[in-house]
Amino acid sequence: MIKTIECLIIGSGPAGYTAAIYASRANLNPVLVQGIQPGGQLTTTNDVENYPGYPSGVTGPIMMEDFQKQAERFGTKIIFGIVTKVVFSNKKGGIHTVLIDDKDEIKTKTVIIATGASAKYLGLESEKKYMGSGVSACAVCDGFFFKNQDVVVVGGGDSAAEEATYLAKLCNKVYLLIRKNQMRASKIMQKRVFDTKNIEVLFNHETLEVIGDKTVHAIKVMDTQNNTEKMIDATGFFLAIGHSPNTKIFHNQLKMDEVGYLITKPDSSKTNLPGVFASGDAQDSIYRQAITAAGSGCMAALDAERYLAELN
Ligand code: NDP
């Protein structure tokens, strides 16, 4: 049981830890609740090569350990637990109540939400097996490792179109598997896909299995129009079937879009409730990068600091 604190941060990805670094250096004595996946989505990535400051690259788990150490260095208290309930105040200066693991209650003047988003997967056993060694849900993060190779992208929305055209610049060939007989992506994105010579679009195709030994060699697919199975030789398998922001526990309290991304006021991290700030992938459906999440975590801490200063 902790008495009322100044700042509670929910989530331990780049947004959460960056918010913690800034909040602790501002003497807000933040408490950070790590959540179900300490370190966030980056802990499922092998090499991170596009985060400035790591000229030789770094693995996702090590980078997140560094983030944690930096937050702890300035006094952030880190709790291993999951937020199971929140009761936010709607009054300026009101106290927010957050329940951890259904038992420990924390009362806080400000809350920074950095709960991230989770990429959707098909749910195949073989997909799980090759996660990080051929299976990825982020072309920008992992595409480079498949330079001059053949890869498969699954999905028919804007993300899939974007990932396929991104990969086409690096890879020898990109197969785009679409489960229906049409793409959901915007017309302009579709045109980009069809104008790219080394992308082959396969409509009415579903994935049956990811095949490999230590790494991926092929994808077994089903052509649902004539019920025939076939193998596609590929070393990379990219999912682009959408993301789900981890914001369920905030339903009915915070404004979110129809998918669940938290809505913040323009040029800030402010939600619809005073003292509650949102950062990272929980409120960003567009950029979704570690560096942009870290930037928005910084914004949230500065907004929380200013909010608290106005109360005094
Ligand atoms: P979407 O929800 O728009 O599309 C998901 C795609 O994945 C659909 O084609 C869907 O198929 C397919 N899919 C879902 N589940 C499965 C499954 N189990 N097996 C096979 N295919 C599946 O998600 P996106 O991430 O593409 O986009 C999210 C939002 O972000 C959209 O509003 C999009 O416009 C926006 N965005 C914009 C970009 C831009 O403007 N540059 C870039 C990226 C995203 P089906 O159609 O059959 O349901």
Side-chain angles (χ1 to χ4, degrees), residues 4-79:
T4 301
I5 60 170
E6 299 288 299
C7 178
L8 179 77
I9 298 163
I10 310 176
S12 58
Y17 282 134
T18 305
I21 293 163
Y22 275 77
S24 52
R25 292 187 79 251
N27 287 340
L28 303 187
N29 302 315
V31 172
L32 180 148
V33 188
Q34 283 187 313
I36 210 159
Q37 189 179 24
Q41 286 187 81
L42 272 180
T43 56
T44 62
T45 302
N46 277 338
D47 293 294
V48 181
E49 294 183 331
N50 54 5
Y51 199 94
Y54 290 98
S56 313
V58 61
T59 70
I62 287 184
M63 185 163 110
M64 294 323 297
E65 273 174 33
D66 284 349
F67 269 65
Q68 178 171 344
K69 280 185 206 150
Q70 198 170 347
E72 284 175 320
R73 179 178 158 208
F74 299 107
T76 302
K77 179 176 176 182
I78 294 181
I79 295 179

Side-chain angles (χ1 to χ4, degrees), residues 83-94:
V83 171
T84 44
K85 192 179 174 193
V86 295
V87 181
F88 291 145
S89 164
N90 57 9
K91 288 194 192 80
K92 190 165 180 184

Side-chain angles (χ1 to χ4, degrees), residues 122 134-137 139 146 149-155 160 163-164 167 171 173-178 199-200 202 205-207 209-210 216-221 231-240:
L122 297 172
V135 172
S136 167
F146 299 90
Q149 300 172 39
D150 292 356
V151 298
V152 167
V153 176
V154 182
E163 305 247 314
L167 288 166
C171 300
K173 171 123 194 190
V174 178
Y175 297 91
L176 182 58
L177 295 193
I178 296 168
I199 298 179
E200 183 175 338
L202 298 169
H205 275 68
E206 284 184 9
T207 310
E209 196 181 345
V210 181
V216 172
H217 298 323
I219 313 299
K220 194 199 276 185
V221 298
M231 290 286 220
I232 300 175
D233 289 336
T235 49
F237 183 68
F238 288 85
L239 282 310

